[in-house]
Amino acid sequence: MKKELSDFADLIRYYTLKELGNLGYGHYGGALSIVEVLAVLYGEVMKFDPKNPHSTDRDYFILSKGHAGPSYYATLALSGFFDKEELMTLNANGTNLPSHPDRNKVKGVDMTTGSLGQGVSVAMGVAYYLKSKNMQNKVYIVVGDGELNEGQCWEAFMFASHQKLNNVTVFVDDNKKQLDGYTKDICDMLDLEEKFKAFGFDTCKVNGNDVEQIKKALCEKQNSDKPVCIILDTIKGAKVDYIANMLDNHHVRLSDEGKKIMDETVKKLEQALMEKGLLND
């Protein structure tokens, strides 16, 4: 059942918090910053069939920043690839949902990711193949701003531009932080919008925690003759104040106090979703 994109985003956020809360630790910050782009892609834009995940006419999605797997899993479950109850097995012994996406375990995952930078290269290879066969499938990639420290990303971007891969859309989750601190302090990316334009991409920057801005950008770029880059100006831990206000929120292990705060956050979100009738299906 199709839902309003903002509601779909709230559902993704809710189940992301539920699975991480059940585990007690995980990559909260980076998972929460991409909730809205996942909602737009899986709620309205991408072509896919949860009953036939390997359909040859599907669009491809690669989460290059694989540590954001929890929100990706929540999206896949809500999209019908597997039961939502399975989300509570995140990173448990014998699970099909390891902390980083595994294409051999998780229905709907097109590439195993976790080693940063590699997802971008593989995505360009997929796009190149599809274009060479005159296939109409699209390829969507989410890459982290910290991940762009990896040189292989930029090699892949040069390849995409040279090959005129206009079937590719790159989303940069520009949440300003990475594992060891602020991205600008570790390896300053300078002006990402200008950088991608210089690499030959049709580029724009939007509020990445706003579904309508993301949707509008995709609509405006859908007929571009170049590879597309949409820079998502996001907040790490977006819309969950306890996480967003942490200085170090890449990987969080909840304290007893933190568990209480997060439990209350989840209860409030659950109540709001129930009032809208969104947890009854």
Side-chain angles (χ1 to χ4, degrees):
M1 181 179 73
K2 284 213 168 187
K3 302 177 175 67
E4 291 293 328
L5 291 179
S6 59
D7 290 339
F8 190 29
D10 283 340
L11 281 166
I12 295 170
R13 187 173 297 106
Y14 170 74
Y15 281 105
T16 299
L17 294 176
K18 287 277 286 184
E19 57 185 313
L20 285 168
N22 183 66
L23 186 61
Y25 61 88
H27 292 96
Y28 276 90
L32 291 168
S33 59
I34 65 167
V35 164
E36 278 72 25
V37 71
L38 289 170
V40 173
L41 289 176
Y42 280 87
E44 190 162 311
V45 173
M46 284 177 50
K47 182 189 295 185
F48 62 88
D49 181 359
K51 295 181 180 179
N52 184 15
H54 302 294
S55 170
T56 56
D57 67 347
R58 76 189 187 278
D59 291 331
Y60 290 76
F61 174 78
I62 293 178
L63 180 65
S64 195
K65 47 171 285 181
H67 51 278
S71 54
Y72 185 21
Y73 295 157
T75 305
L76 290 172
L78 287 163
S79 299
F81 285 92
F82 52 86
D83 291 339
K84 294 189 287 291
E85 290 74 16
E86 194 171 344
L87 293 171
M88 296 303 103
T89 72
L90 175 70
N91 219 25
N93 289 338
T95 186
N96 287 321
L97 303 178
S99 60
H100 295 67
D102 186 330
R103 67 183 298 273
N104 294 313
K105 290 180 176 292
V106 189
K107 289 181 180 179
V109 169
D110 286 316
M111 184 197 166
T112 302
T113 53
S115 297
L116 296 179
Q118 294 181 1
V120 178
S121 295
V122 171
M124 299 312 176
V126 172
Y128 179 74
Y129 171 82
L130 294 170
K131 192 174 180 68
S132 73
K133 299 296 182 181
N134 295 314
M135 298 172 71
Q136 300 305 306
N137 317 58
K138 301 291 186 180
V139 180
Y140 299 95
I141 315 154
V142 172
V143 59
D145 57 342
E147 185 178 1
L148 294 181
N149 291 170
E150 300 284 353
Q152 103 177 68
C153 292
W154 298 100
E155 293 179 50
F157 297 146
M158 284 191 290
F159 175 84
S161 178
H162 177 72
Q163 298 295 339
K164 298 179 172 57
L165 299 183
N166 63 333
N167 55 346
V168 165
T169 299
V170 175
F171 294 95
V172 178
D173 179 24
D174 185 17
N175 63 30
K176 323 298 183 300
K177 292 181 181 179
Q178 57 191 89
L179 174 64
D180 297 319
Y182 289 102
T183 303
K184 66 180 176 60
D185 295 331
I186 294 164
C187 188
D188 195 347
M189 294 286 103
L190 302 176
D191 189 327
L192 282 173
E193 189 172 2
E194 290 302 315
K195 194 180 294 286
F196 272 93
K197 286 179 180 178
F199 270 69
F201 278 66
D202 188 352
T203 308
C204 66
K205 185 174 183 176
V206 301
N207 180 344
N209 299 129
D210 184 318
V211 291
E212 293 304 323
Q213 287 199 31
I214 297 169
K215 178 182 172 181
K216 181 181 178 183
L218 279 166
C219 289
E220 291 175 350
K221 303 295 185 184
Q222 64 181 337
N223 295 317
S224 179
D225 60 356
K226 299 178 180 180
V228 169
C229 175
I230 299 176
I231 298 167
L232 304 173
D233 184 3
T234 62
I235 296 171
K236 198 160 188 172
K239 302 186 181 179
V240 180
D241 290 346
Y242 179 70
I243 301 297
N245 292 333
M246 287 182 177
L247 180 61
D248 181 6
N249 59 5
H250 182 80
H251 185 281
V252 177
R253 185 174 291 273
L254 295 173
S255 63
D256 289 341
E257 179 186 1
K259 288 177 183 177
K260 291 178 181 178
I261 294 172
M262 291 306 299
D263 284 346
E264 186 60 33
T265 299
V266 171
K267 285 179 182 177
K268 288 180 180 178
L269 185 52
E270 184 176 84
Q271 182 177 357
L273 291 168
M274 289 182 70
E275 287 175 356
K276 290 184 176 183
L278 296 173
L279 291 180
N280 298 327
D281 58 1

